[in-house]
Amino acid sequence: MEAQPRLYADDLAMCVLCGGCKAVCPTYDEELSESMGARGRVRLIRELNAGRLRPSEELNERLFSCILCGACSGACPLGVHIPEAICKGRGMLSGSDKKRKHVRSLLKIATRWPDPAFRAIRMAKHIVLPFLFRHGMIPFVPELPDAPFRRSEQVLRVNRRRGRVAVFTGCSVNYVFPHFGESLLNVLRRFGYEVILPKGETCCGAPLRNLGLEKEAADRALKNYRVFSRLKVDAILSLCPTCTHSLRIDYPRLIGKGLDRAMDISVFFADILDKTSSIMKSAVYHDPCHLRYNLSVRQEPRDIIKRAGLDLLSADDSGCCGFGGPFSLSFKDLSVSLRKRQAERLSNSGADVVVTSCPGCILQLGQEITDRPVLHLIELIEEAYCLRTEQPSLLVV
Ligand code: SF4
Ligand code: SF4
């Protein structure tokens, strides 16, 4: 039987305020203010929990300024799960948080009826997207595809079947980067995997939880659990580490059961891809926070890049891209500052191409790095194993 996650109140009680978490917190590093760092936030939630602090605008700002990157938890000698406590704290504050009220309303609607919401936005994109951007409800105006990636239930069969996997598409791939999804299907099928895209997938719940909407996040979690837990598959693959983290780690906290077959594509492909040498370029890898800190996946994507024949260079001390979903809306300056720092570290490596595993990081870093490609790992795999037939190379800007 799997160990049950500890309750966040027990975690808060354990904290001895040593400050180990503060040392690795990217927002503390930028602001150098105790209440804008991990230890300060833990203390604030403890006071809020005990009724010694009341909800206020200032308290909201401190708790919502966390990126939920997870760097702090790994640094805590007592294993306090700080992002979990912060999500709970946000839940307690959400009623008093006027600044993000409209984003919350929009998100509740968009995650309940995602396809109609996408179609409505798509139809009036020249009006709606600039409006949402002007009113701080999206961090930038994205390019939208003509249609979502997932349209209906699909089972993609192969001739000589090596295995069977399900794909958890996630909203960013479904509505912003459908070509990442196409690349994943292409690679899986070429390597002999039957793929199922089940009917009924919905938002993983992370953006809702991020805003303190625990009840709504649990509702989406339960829907996804019902859809994916009944499938007879070897793995549930996602191209977004935030989705994978939700399915595996957050669902047991939200609904008492998780999808433990959910995994990042780099873990799945680690033993499947042979060595090839089709690409004579250098690359640098950007670690998405949820993959690195919360799912402890660091080596697998790097091994794949090397096996794909690229020269893997290292960047000075890998950092956060500063996206963090709603964080980039509420704390624009801080988000841009983190983004610039990380883009500079990656660019200074001198690599021909930047590779990462998260659509959010690609959106964020792609605004800063324009002189070389910023690719998802699945695009690199598709190109390196010569599976992109008759399409231009992705390795030139
Ligand atoms: S590292 Fe852990 S014990 Fe130390 S202040 Fe942070 S949460 Fe508390
Ligand atoms: S999750 Fe990240 S930003 Fe938030 S307190 Fe922890 S280290 Fe700081």
Side-chain angles (χ1 to χ4, degrees), residues 177-195:
F177 294 115
H179 57 284
F180 293 174
E182 298 296 347
S183 297
L184 178 60
L185 298 189
N186 185 23
V187 174
L188 283 168
R189 297 181 72 205
R190 296 293 276 269
F191 280 92
Y193 286 90
E194 182 174 300
V195 187

Side-chain angles (χ1 to χ4, degrees), residues 21-22 24-28 36-39 41-42 63 65-73 82-83 86 90 289 293 320 327:
C21 52
K22 187 173 90 171
V24 297
C25 176
T27 54
Y28 177 79
M36 289 293 278
R39 178 175 68 180
R41 293 184 184 114
V42 173
L63 293 199
S65 64
C66 163
I67 314 173
L68 297 177
C69 65
C72 45
S73 292
I82 300 161
I86 289 172
R90 288 179 181 182
C289 292
Y293 299 119
C320 174
F327 166 83

